[in-house]
Amino acid sequence: MNPAVFLSLPDLRCSLLLLVTWVFTPVTTEITSLDTENIDDILNNADVALVNFYADWCRFSQMLHPIFEEASNVIKEEYPNENQVVFARVDCDQHSDIAQRYRISKYPTLKLFRNGMMMKREYRGQRSVKALADYIRQQKSDPVQELHDLTEITTLDRSKRNIIGYFEQKDSENYRVFERVANILHDDCAFLSAFGAVSKPERYSGDNIIYKPPGQSAPDMVYLGSMTNFDGTYNWIQDKCVPLVREITFENGEELTEEGLPFLILFHMKEDTESLEIFQNEVARQLISEKGTINFLHADCDKFRHPLLHIQKTPADCPVIAIDSFRHMYVFGDFRDVLIPGKLKQFVFDLHSGKLHREFHHGPDPTDVAPGQQVQDVASSPPESSFQKLAPSEYRITSKNGYKCCLPDVNN
């Protein structure tokens, strides 16, 4: 029989202190470092992933590291399953290919991913543990509001875009696809659903999804594709939730510039909905094939007086159409010319071909000069880009919450 071992009082106190410390020390989590080998696997398997794109030399990245780690610890206690929430980071100096893939233009940048798909809106809230944790909790909340009576539809906010799904069962593949799409697009549309007996009057031909556009008189639209096909369902709902012509504001201006596409902008008075409708219709008619090459936007003339001054216009001249290439601004002719078939499309094509730039610097192309007319090299200088000033800059506050950033070409 082994002899009993008795600890002295100081040793006993020390052992108890170590035991208490071990029991009450919170579990800390390692931030997942992403590289070209693991990024797709980790992000594709994560319900929600918040990724910190950083550079070690950037002091703002350095300041964020401990905050990001502590927020990860807080959330991990609430969502302990490995793939529920992932906090990850990318060293953009070591992995510039990943930074280019996700169009990272400043450090640090926080991007949200759902099942591997990057959300278009990056995190721009406060850089605090509480704010980051609250943001993730919000992302994990149910994006779909359940209807318990169809009369609730009469009280919907019709200034919003509403997507309503009618399902026989909540535990179904149809609803799982719908919920997955809602997780991605809930910032752009309000998603609602009804099940069983509540939804039965609307399921005369089976489960279905309808879109209710803004406005009381706008007719509903019904999804006719396969409800178990994620790509088809997502594309249809995205087309309804994300308008072809978006409004640019001072709140989303930086976000839009970071998409890297030139702007085709209608400047109009807020109450001038007729000009906006004409512009929207002509963009849809003439330029739908250019959706991935240029951003179609509209702006309030009163709020954006400064860009108008750049092109020697005032709110009294509105409606005005212009292109901002992020180098220069080019003005479309008379607004009513937008109704001439192909005129707006040619304006955009002239941007892509370089014709607008050439003509501003050297006068009309020879092909645009009448036979026998002498060609003169007319030196001119188009107005500089105005909206480029909304792009990220280390030397200004980049959001209403007051955080700053470093640019990739800045050597700290």
Side-chain angles (χ1 to χ4, degrees), residues 170-211:
K170 191 169 188 176
D171 184 17
S172 64
E173 186 60 24
N174 284 352
Y175 181 69
R176 280 189 283 273
V177 169
F178 182 78
E179 187 178 39
R180 187 179 167 195
V181 173
N183 269 315
I184 297 169
L185 295 173
H186 68 273
D187 286 338
D188 302 294
C189 270
F191 285 81
L192 306 99
S193 62
F195 305 96
V198 176
S199 66
K200 189 173 182 179
E202 297 291 337
R203 287 189 290 105
Y204 40 84
S205 58
D207 291 357
N208 66 88
I209 300 171
I210 70 163
Y211 165 61

Side-chain angles (χ1 to χ4, degrees), residues 131-148:
L132 287 172
D134 286 345
Y135 174 70
I136 293 299
R137 292 185 190 107
Q138 182 185 14
Q139 298 304 316
K140 291 295 291 180
S141 62
D142 193 340
V144 183
Q145 176 189 338
E146 184 174 346
L147 300 171
H148 300 286

Side-chain angles (χ1 to χ4, degrees), residues 72 95 110 175 180 222 268 278 357:
S72 174
H95 303 288
L110 297 178
Y175 181 69
R180 187 179 167 195
V222 181
H268 67 105
I278 291 172
H357 188 77

